[in-house]
Amino acid sequence: MDKLFQNKWAIRVISLILALTLYFFVNLEANSEQNESRVDPGNASETQVLEDVPLDIKIDAENYVVSGVPEVVSVTLEGKRSSLAPIVRLRNFDVIVDLTDYEEGDHTVTLEYEGLPENVTAYIEPKEIDVTIESRATEQFGVDIDLVNEDKLPVGYELGEPEIAPETVTLVSSREQIEQVAMVKAFVDVRDLKESIRNKEVPIVVYDAQGNDMNVRVEPETVTISIPVERPSKTVDLNLETKGDLPDDIEIKNMEIPSEIEIFGKKELLSEIDQISTEELDMSKIENSGKQKVALDFPDGITSNDDKVDVDIELEQTKQFKEVPIEVIGKDESDVRFVKPKDPEIEVTIKGSDEILKKVNEEDVKATIDLSGLEEGEHKVDVQLEGPEDVTLKAEPKEVTVEGK
């Protein structure tokens, strides 16, 4: 045997055999693991990172409060895929900071986890945190209601007196924190509010003197708020404003608008208003009888159910026919001579609704004089006019002078 190990070539052969044996053994193990992984993928090892994992605090909450503890941490899990899958899906484990054995003061504490199986490892980030433990202090504070966007209430609406329950809350924190509390508020957004708020739960917000949010415990965390919404109203006179003039041949026979209108607004504004006017109606643009929509001119903060009203306009138009023939009744026209006027014609003015006069022509007007029973000689005779219904006729001249044979 000694001679064998003293032989240089023998040693080389043995070394080669050992190296080959080790090589085949390592490859055999690697292939075995790969084959096992192919057969059962759940046995493959991997890592999963979970963000925003809640951090639970263990502390004597009756006597102490703690600051410096983050709400969430990041956890990296390592283990077989089959083990990680349900944990990642359910997050059925806890990350804790145990402060039960610590006294008041500043401490650096290691974070721990619970509820993971032995074949899963967790790495928490941060691993350690700096905390401050202080004696627990409590104090009651009144809650102020802060109405947000009150200037964005719809015009005509008004808020009644808000009600809050409870009116006070208890703040729990360190004495130093409690002494920094300047405001305890509940915010209610009343933008576009038209209906009363009834028993709405609103969270409490705590501020220091600089307006910074304070992370203190509030008991209870919410209050219940009710705010009545009112719509005060008043009935006032309505006045029609106009500008411009109608054409010369048109007159207003009648023009009507509602005499009163109901308006809405805050009570102090309504108390100062006795009349609402329309915007100016331009009479120069009125061409026909009928209804015209006219906008209302509201003071700031005042409105009504309608922003326009109907003006019912009835126009009266005038037409003139300058050469209306005069028909003689009671005598033969050959036996009559017109003295004044010399020609048997007169001027007739007709006045009536523009709708009627649109359809009236000179042929629709008849002028007559009745000479029945008159003796020979000159006579003054009234002119009689006939025309469409619902119009007024006027002759110029009203009488004529004729000479009969």
Side-chain angles (χ1 to χ4, degrees):
M1 182 67 70
D2 291 339
K3 290 182 179 180
L4 179 63
F5 284 105
Q6 290 176 357
N7 188 317
K8 180 173 63 175
W9 287 103
I11 294 174
R12 290 179 178 177
V13 171
I14 292 172
S15 297
L16 178 60
I17 293 172
L18 290 174
L20 290 173
T21 301
L22 181 60
Y23 171 79
F24 285 116
F25 178 78
V26 170
N27 274 275
L28 181 62
E29 286 294 320
N31 290 334
S32 176
E33 290 182 2
Q34 290 177 2
N35 291 335
E36 184 180 347
S37 177
R38 292 191 188 100
V39 173
D40 184 6
N43 288 327
S45 181
E46 65 176 32
T47 60
Q48 289 278 358
V49 179
L50 301 183
E51 303 288 351
D52 300 328
V53 178
L55 178 57
D56 295 332
I57 304 172
K58 290 187 177 182
I59 193 172
D60 181 4
E62 294 294 324
N63 297 302
Y64 298 101
V65 293
V66 61
S67 59
V69 179
E71 293 184 3
V72 294
V73 294
S74 174
V75 179
T76 300
L77 300 177
E78 182 178 326
K80 291 182 179 180
R81 184 181 306 169
S82 58
S83 299
L84 292 184
I87 297 173
V88 171
R89 185 175 67 255
L90 302 175
R91 296 200 175 199
N92 53 351
F93 68 97
D94 298 312
V95 179
I96 61 172
V97 53
D98 190 349
L99 304 175
T100 54
D101 295 330
Y102 288 84
E103 298 179 349
E104 290 186 58
D106 298 329
H107 306 279
T108 300
V109 187
T110 301
L111 304 186
E112 304 171 358
Y113 61 86
E114 294 178 341
L116 289 176
E118 293 183 357
N119 61 348
V120 175
T121 305
Y123 302 94
I124 305 170
E125 180 61 38
K127 184 178 182 181
E128 295 179 334
I129 58 173
D130 294 325
V131 300
T132 300
I133 300 176
E134 300 173 274
S135 294
R136 183 179 186 270
T138 63
E139 190 169 329
Q140 285 192 331
F141 287 82
V143 181
D144 295 325
I145 301 177
D146 200 327
L147 301 179
V148 182
N149 292 319
E150 191 170 2
D151 59 333
K152 300 297 191 300
L153 271 174
V155 174
Y157 288 83
E158 187 174 52
L159 300 179
E161 191 66 29
E163 297 179 0
I164 183 171
E167 296 180 354
T168 61
V169 293
T170 301
L171 302 188
V172 182
S173 188
S174 66
R175 174 51 55 190
E176 181 182 359
Q177 285 281 89
I178 293 293
E179 290 175 352
Q180 293 179 20
V181 173
M183 295 172 287
V184 179
K185 289 183 174 290
F187 293 93
V188 181
D189 192 343
V190 296
R191 178 194 295 267
D192 299 327
L193 188 63
K194 293 183 178 180
E195 301 291 337
S196 296
I197 294 175
R198 295 181 175 87
N199 300 323
K200 180 178 182 179
E201 283 198 3
V202 180
I204 300 298
V205 186
V206 182
Y207 296 99
D208 62 17
Q210 285 72 45
N212 301 312
D213 288 1
M214 296 188 66
N215 185 20
V216 298
R217 182 177 168 186
V218 184
E219 298 176 349
E221 295 181 347
T222 63
V223 290
T224 300
I225 293 178
S226 297
I227 305 176
V229 177
E230 303 171 354
R231 199 184 186 206
S233 68
K234 181 180 181 180
T235 300
V236 297
D237 294 336
L238 181 59
N239 177 56
L240 175 64
E241 295 286 343
T242 63
K243 66 177 181 180
D245 297 313
L246 290 168
D248 293 338
D249 61 341
I250 297 178
E251 296 177 3
I252 294 289
K253 183 177 182 181
N254 190 35
M255 186 160 58
E256 294 182 352
I257 63 169
S259 60
E260 295 179 329
I261 185 171
E262 184 180 18
I263 58 174
F264 302 91
K266 293 184 177 180
K267 293 175 183 176
E268 61 268 24
L269 294 178
L270 292 176
S271 65
E272 301 173 355
I273 298 174
D274 297 316
Q275 176 182 279
I276 291 292
S277 296
T278 67
E279 294 184 359
E280 290 182 330
L281 175 63
D282 191 348
M283 303 303 293
S284 65
K285 296 182 179 179
I286 304 298
E287 298 178 349
N288 301 295
S289 297
K291 294 185 184 296
Q292 295 282 335
K293 290 280 188 184
V294 184
L296 296 169
D297 186 14
F298 294 113
D300 290 340
I302 298 296
T303 188
S304 73
N305 288 328
D306 299 304
D307 57 2
K308 294 182 179 180
V309 293
D310 285 328
V311 181
D312 196 356
I313 300 175
E314 186 177 354
L315 298 179
E316 193 170 61
Q317 192 171 8
T318 301
K319 274 187 177 182
Q320 286 185 333
F321 302 121
K322 295 184 177 297
E323 297 178 348
V324 177
I326 300 174
E327 181 181 345
V328 177
I329 300 174
K331 275 188 181 293
D332 193 320
E333 288 188 5
S334 61
D335 295 333
V336 178
R337 182 175 68 88
F338 279 81
V339 178
K340 185 179 181 181
K342 291 183 179 181
D343 296 321
E345 296 174 344
I346 60 168
E347 181 180 296
V348 176
T349 300
I350 181 170
K351 181 183 289 188
S353 164
D354 60 322
E355 296 296 327
I356 295 176
L357 292 194
K358 284 179 182 177
K359 305 173 184 177
V360 175
N361 298 312
E362 186 173 318
E363 293 78 14
D364 299 317
V365 179
K366 182 178 181 181
T368 62
I369 55 174
D370 189 355
L371 302 182
S372 300
L374 291 183
E375 299 177 355
E376 294 183 6
E378 285 191 0
H379 300 279
K380 290 184 177 182
V381 184
D382 291 335
V383 178
Q384 304 297 321
L385 297 176
E386 295 179 16
E389 295 182 357
D390 300 322
V391 299
T392 301
L393 299 171
K394 181 180 178 182
E396 183 58 41
K398 295 180 179 179
E399 61 180 17
V400 297
T401 302
V402 295
E403 181 181 359
K405 296 179 182 180

